Amino acid sequence: SNARLFSDSERERRQSEAMAEIARAVGESLKMGEVLRLILRHAMALLEAEGACVALKEGDYLHVVSAIGSTELLSGVHLPIQGSLSGRVLTSGHALVTNDIASEPDVHRPTVRLVPIRRSVIVPLATARGRLGVIAVYNGPADFTSDDARVLQRLADQVAVAIVNARLYEEVREATREWLAAFDSIGVGMCLVDDRQLITRANARAMQLTVE
């Protein structure tokens, strides 16, 4: 009993440390690829899995945007939402724990042939705007349990935050790029002035007039 309590407390400690490190990474970095790989590494360590991946929704498919470990070959693969376990999780919004993938009716056979998958935990990536995709871990020394699904769901929440942050950053950067292009193309000289009445930016025509 003492050994079991110690093991549970150690697992909780590792989870807390992993969540803290991931939260820092999500808050400090807008490079989604780096954050996803960090989260997947922690998912593999905490669940003692051999592989892990993140797949995002693209139309009628789930695109595997990051994969590590034994499932690295899945990187770039498109899984059909209708006809895959990941698609079932995305559609239902509920976690899936299976320790006999071959017997599952919705298993995507080409994926199983590509990567030797026996057991898996798959959870949805959900935000206030809807479900973005799924995160999954595969194979381990023992059967996965509902406790593993709860741990993975906590990691999935961090993945969703990282994805939303990265997408917002890209939207802002694209809007800024379009605004700058329009600003520079205006035929009259224009300048932006800050509170100290200092010019912070001038368009191409203003620079030309200044030189003239």
Side-chain angles (χ1 to χ4, degrees):
S1 176
N2 287 339
R4 186 165 58 251
L5 288 172
F6 177 75
S7 176
D8 291 343
S9 67
E10 280 295 291
R11 188 177 189 186
E12 273 297 322
R13 181 183 62 79
R14 289 196 300 270
Q15 289 179 29
S16 298
E17 290 176 351
M19 294 300 172
E21 182 179 352
I22 290 168
R24 284 195 300 272
V26 171
E28 295 172 359
S29 176
L30 290 169
K31 297 179 180 178
M32 189 168 64
E34 294 178 1
V35 176
L36 291 183
R37 291 186 70 83
L38 172 65
I39 292 174
L40 291 180
R41 286 197 297 271
H42 279 300
M44 287 178 57
L46 291 173
L47 275 65
E48 299 182 11
E50 296 176 3
C53 70
V54 171
L56 300 181
K57 183 180 179 183
E58 288 187 4
D60 295 329
Y61 293 87
L62 281 165
H63 178 207
V64 180
V65 296
S66 185
I68 64 172
S70 63
T71 56
E72 193 165 4
L73 284 175
L74 293 180
S75 185
V77 168
H78 285 74
L79 303 171
I81 293 176
Q82 299 298 324
S84 68
L85 296 179
S86 295
R88 187 205 300 179
V89 170
L90 178 73
T91 303
S92 69
H94 299 299
L96 171 71
V97 179
T98 177
N99 292 297
D100 186 10
I101 279 185
S103 66
E104 294 287 343
D106 292 331
V107 66
H108 188 238
R109 301 294 172 184
T111 299
V112 177
R113 286 195 291 269
L114 180 64
V115 178
I117 300 170
R118 303 180 304 279
R119 295 182 287 273
S120 181
V121 181
I122 310 172
V123 299
L125 303 175
T127 67
R129 294 185 177 182
R131 300 181 197 115
L132 304 176
V134 299
I135 180 172
V137 297
Y138 300 101
N139 299 342
D143 286 353
F144 290 122
T145 67
S146 57
D147 287 339
D148 294 321
R150 281 192 288 272
V151 172
L152 191 59
Q153 188 63 67
R154 292 178 65 190
L155 292 169
D157 293 339
Q158 295 292 338
V159 173
V161 171
I163 292 170
V164 169
N165 287 349
R167 287 181 173 177
L168 286 174
Y169 172 72
E170 286 299 323
E171 290 175 6
V172 170
R173 189 169 67 171
E174 180 61 27
T176 301
R177 185 162 48 240
E178 292 176 358
W179 177 85
L180 289 176
F183 181 76
D184 284 334
S185 65
I186 294 174
V188 296
M190 292 187 68
C191 298
L192 297 180
V193 181
D194 63 15
D195 294 338
R196 297 173 298 170
Q197 303 303 308
L198 298 176
I199 296 175
T200 59
R201 186 174 184 83
N203 69 353
R205 180 54 178 161
M207 296 295 292
Q208 181 182 8
L209 291 171
T210 301
V211 172
E212 291 175 354

